[in-house]
């Protein structure tokens, strides 16, 4: 298949940018999926040692949800200031 792409690119040089951006998009999507699979520290793949990871989180832990009307600067945080 790659050989056929090179043959088409030699015959039609206008396809070279299309092949470049197609490869760039596939690579970017693959890297993004790998990043999602590794995930944040909340998502755990270890089901033997920690089958219910949500029970270890503090009730005041701010999840990655966004509320449009909430001003996050004025919320009280428990723990060390960074």
């Amino acid at each position: 298949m790659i050989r056929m792409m090179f043959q088409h690119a030699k015959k039609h040089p206008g396809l070279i940018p299309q092949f470049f951006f197609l490869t760039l998009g596939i690579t970017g999507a693959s890297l993004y999926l790998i990043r999602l699979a590794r995930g944040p520290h909340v998502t755990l793949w270890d089901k033997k040692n920690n089958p219910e990871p949500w029970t270890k989180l503090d009730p005041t832990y701010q999840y990655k949800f966004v509320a449009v009307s909430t001003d996050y600067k004025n919320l009280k945080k428990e723990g060390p200031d960074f």
Side-chain angles (χ1 to χ4, degrees):
M1 184 167 139
I2 294 175
R3 191 170 163 193
M4 189 185 306
M5 282 178 41
F6 284 127
Q7 289 173 353
H8 282 292
K10 286 181 182 177
K11 291 180 185 176
H12 307 286
L15 292 176
I16 294 173
Q18 184 177 2
F19 290 142
F20 172 75
F21 286 112
L22 181 69
T23 306
L24 184 70
I26 290 171
T27 304
S30 300
L31 291 174
Y32 182 68
L33 287 175
I34 290 170
R35 178 180 169 259
L36 286 177
R38 297 185 79 203
H41 65 280
V42 176
T43 307
L44 299 174
W45 295 89
D46 186 14
K47 295 191 183 254
K48 288 183 180 179
N49 297 327
N50 194 7
E52 296 177 345
W54 54 88
T55 59
K56 293 186 178 182
L57 291 177
D58 187 32
T60 59
Y61 179 79
Q62 181 180 347
Y63 298 93
K64 288 188 175 182
F65 297 120
V66 176
V68 177
S69 62
T70 303
D71 186 16
Y72 289 105
K73 293 180 183 177
N74 297 330
L75 287 179
K76 181 182 174 186
K77 281 187 170 183
E78 295 179 9
D81 291 328
F82 291 106

